[in-house]
Amino acid sequence: MTDQNPKTLLVIFGATGDLAKRKLIPALHAIHRHGGTDVSVLAIGRKPFSSRDFREYLQAESFIPANDAFLEKIEYLALPIDDPSGYGPLREYADLHPDRHVVFYLSVPPELFEPVISGIGQSGLNAAASRVAFEKPFGSDLASAKRLNAFVAQAFSEDQIFRIDHYVGKETIQNVLAFRFANSLFEPVWNHQYVDNIQITATESLGVENRGTYYDHAGALRDMIQNHLFQVLALTVMEPPHSLASSAIHDEKVKAVRALRLGADLPSHAVFGQYAGYRGEPGIPPSSRTETFAALRLELHNWRFKGVPIYLRTGKALAEKKTEIVIEFRKNASILYNEADDVERNRIVFSVSPYEGISVGFNVKAYGEPKKTEPVWSEFAQTTESPEAYVRILTDLIAGDHTLFTRWDMIEESWKIVDRLVNCKESCPILHTYPVGSDGPAASDELLARDGREWYRCPETPE
Ligand code: BG6
């Protein structure tokens, strides 16, 4: 059930952390400016700030203007987050606001999820009207995710739980379903008869920066593939839901992930790399074998996409920040034009970064050349600035709409596959080193070259 205009008390655990200052507070500020929702924020951290100190910190760190009315909506409470017996002051604070329904947001390292849930439960703040949101990662493998889920289930029911994957909040990613299912042009060719391969890329130019301690335990498989890339993949390949109701969409997404197959010869379908200099980054042990790059070849064992390779690629410290989905169509028989086999494939590119939009590539007659064609693009460029993914995520969390959050069965299915990939990586002797600012290990290109394909490279980025 969703509630568009609730009076909410949003309790942020980990409010002095990086995510809160960079994403959550600016998103809440944007929601406040937009109006229509009445949200008070209780920021919780271990630092002994007063509310006034915290507001000053937000002015400096999140660039909130000093006289902004939004700051009056924020209070700070110092709490021993890891000690569930110390949550009395939180209970007292909530009791002062009985007219607000409480939403807990856990922006804390995963090892603190259980103590925080215990603290909330022991202080009786898990009433049916409350909600709890978890930043990823939800578990670090299938077993730990199951344990965590069982633990959370002692205090909250599934409809109170919101597992966040901010990629699903991105405007272009949400557009995948509209593009597929609101047009009669594309859906008929969205299958193995016409699609040659699917490529999903999420590369970054930044390295691990100050997150080394977390990242070295995660690596690209757990940090990006298990969540963001699988979410994007599921939206790209899923069957049409019978409605846009949250459960209908989740049902189809999870079916898509269940149909994923890793090749029998897994090591030859996966490439792992680490950027040169990673072992010298803060918090990284000198002998670390954590992958900062992964490229995979998967297939779907279902009617629609059987036999179509799906390539996923993600990595840090690469040449550019790029997030895109590329659907490459089969070449046509090509007997009529260009005398040879060099008529370009049709392609559809969903671009999230560096620009936002959707492009369709097709061929037209080359001007003045009756028997030659040339490739052109038709582009939808998102011209208005899209709201940050977290604005969408927080708006839906406050309204209680589960559509953009990850249901438990999706987490479970994703970990089943990622556990196998992690095992493969751990037993695989090859961890390629790649230079900072490159396109990753050459083996990632070879992965596609073996199939006679290559990673799609945008000829030019639209202005
Ligand atoms: C996070 C990962 O979930 O997503 C980070 O933990 C990564 O390692 C980030 O940098 C990328 O998000 P975006 O929105 O910048 O592509």
Side-chain angles (χ1 to χ4, degrees):
M1 210 175 60
T2 66
D3 182 356
Q4 297 303 327
N5 259 322
K7 279 180 100 180
T8 302
L9 173 63
L10 183 68
V11 180
I12 303 179
F13 289 90
T16 55
D18 208 44
L19 182 78
K21 78 174 179 200
R22 284 195 308 113
K23 301 285 184 186
L24 304 182
I25 295 293
L28 288 165
H29 186 212
I31 293 170
H32 173 81
R33 278 201 314 259
H34 187 259
T37 21
D38 182 353
V39 185
S40 307
V41 177
L42 180 63
I44 295 196
R46 279 188 265 223
K47 293 201 173 100
F49 281 160
S50 65
S51 292
R52 193 171 145 180
D53 297 336
F54 186 67
R55 290 184 199 129
E56 277 169 12
Y57 161 87
L58 293 183
Q59 288 164 38
E61 299 287 333
S62 304
F63 311 108
I64 310 289
N67 52 1
D68 198 302
F70 169 64
L71 290 173
E72 287 158 26
K73 295 271 187 187
I74 303 179
E75 305 240 37
Y76 183 87
L77 181 66
L79 211 65
I81 294 185
D82 51 354
D83 175 8
S85 65
Y87 277 48
L90 173 58
R91 171 79 214 209
E92 284 159 28
Y93 186 93
D95 284 348
L96 295 175
H97 301 85
D99 56 329
R100 296 193 171 262
H101 81 254
V102 186
V103 178
F104 299 102
Y105 194 117
L106 275 64
S107 174
V108 291
E111 60 275 17
L112 290 176
F113 284 176
E114 293 194 8
V116 173
I117 294 299
S118 294
I120 294 171
Q122 284 174 29
S123 40
L125 286 166
N126 54 332
S130 63
R131 297 179 190 137
V132 61
F134 295 89
E135 264 304 326
K136 60 158 271 273
F138 197 87
S140 54
D141 56 16
L142 179 61
S144 62
K146 278 185 171 168
R147 272 198 309 277
L148 173 60
N149 206 48
F151 190 86
V152 176
Q154 294 169 16
F156 292 97
S157 60
E158 179 71 19
D159 64 342
Q160 292 174 281
I161 301 173
F162 291 73
R163 301 177 194 85
I164 293 167
D165 190 307
H166 78 277
Y167 266 49
V168 191
K170 293 179 188 256
E171 195 61 28
T172 306
I173 300 302
Q174 290 173 65
N175 219 330
V176 172
L177 288 195
F179 182 87
R180 289 186 56 195
F181 301 134
N183 295 301
S184 53
L185 196 55
F186 306 113
E187 195 49 26
V189 294
W190 214 263
N191 57 54
H192 65 99
Q193 284 174 319
Y194 295 95
V195 173
D196 178 85
N197 73 91
I198 296 172
Q199 305 180 7
I200 299 178
T201 293
T203 56
E204 298 179 82
S205 50
L206 296 177
V208 287
E209 299 194 289
N210 56 0
R211 297 169 71 226
T213 316
Y214 150 75
Y215 191 86
D216 201 58
H217 287 104
L221 286 171
R222 293 184 174 104
D223 186 50
M224 294 291 289
I225 303 251
Q226 183 268 339
N227 35 77
H228 304 326
L229 270 74
F230 276 12
Q231 289 286 338
V232 172
L233 170 60
L235 291 166
T236 308
V237 301
M238 68 187 241
E239 292 301 317
H242 67 79
S243 79
L244 288 183
S246 163
S247 59
I249 294 177
H250 288 302
D251 288 347
E252 297 306 333
K253 280 169 75 176
V254 80
K255 263 164 62 186
V257 176
R258 268 191 197 122
L260 277 175
R261 294 287 179 276
L262 303 170
D265 178 17
L266 190 47
S268 70
H269 293 125
V271 172
F272 302 110
Q274 188 184 77
Y275 64 83
Y278 171 75
R279 294 174 190 183
E281 299 272 33
I284 309 295
S287 58
S288 167
R289 283 187 45 82
T290 297
E291 77 290 358
T292 59
F293 178 96
L296 306 172
R297 182 193 192 282
L298 309 172
E299 286 196 14
L300 278 166
H301 188 71
N302 66 13
W303 188 265
R304 186 184 281 263
F305 279 118
K306 178 136 180 56
V308 176
I310 298 172
Y311 304 105
L312 306 184
R313 163 174 69 158
T314 185
K316 292 204 181 278
L318 293 166
E320 59 175 333
K321 166 100 182 141
K322 181 163 78 177
T323 310
E324 67 180 17
I325 309 165
V326 180
I327 315 293
E328 293 205 324
F329 290 86
R330 289 178 189 275
K331 285 197 169 190
N332 73 7
S334 274
I335 50 169
L336 299 181
Y337 289 96
N338 301 7
E339 289 167 11
D341 191 28
D342 64 349
V343 174
E344 273 289 322
R345 295 175 186 288
N346 295 132
R347 290 188 180 87
I348 295 173
V349 179
F350 296 88
S351 176
V352 178
S353 174
Y355 73 97
E356 275 195 286
I358 306 174
S359 314
V360 179
F362 55 101
N363 296 298
V364 296
K365 189 182 79 60
Y367 188 76
E369 298 267 9
K371 295 186 181 172
K372 279 203 157 85
T373 62
E374 63 181 10
V376 291
W377 288 96
S378 173
E379 275 149 7
F380 156 69
Q382 184 79 51
T383 46
T384 44
E385 203 184 317
S386 296
E388 261 281 348
Y390 275 97
V391 173
R392 182 77 267 146
I393 295 287
L394 284 163
T395 304
D396 287 6
L397 171 63
I398 290 160
D401 183 341
H402 269 98
T403 313
L404 301 184
F405 297 85
T406 312
R407 204 168 64 183
W408 164 246
D409 47 0
M410 177 86 175
I411 300 257
E412 196 175 17
E413 295 301 326
S414 312
W415 276 126
K416 282 184 193 163
I417 299 171
V418 170
D419 275 3
R420 285 188 55 204
L421 288 163
V422 168
N423 286 340
C424 164
K425 196 225 90 183
E426 273 160 14
S427 56
C428 173
I430 306 174
L431 180 68
H432 303 271
T433 303
Y434 59 93
V436 169
S438 68
D439 285 337
S444 144
D445 296 327
E446 286 151 20
L447 179 72
L448 275 70
R450 280 204 297 276
D451 293 344
R453 300 187 175 96
E454 53 189 43
W455 290 108
Y456 170 68
R457 206 177 263 280
C458 175
E460 63 196 48
T461 303
E463 290 294 306

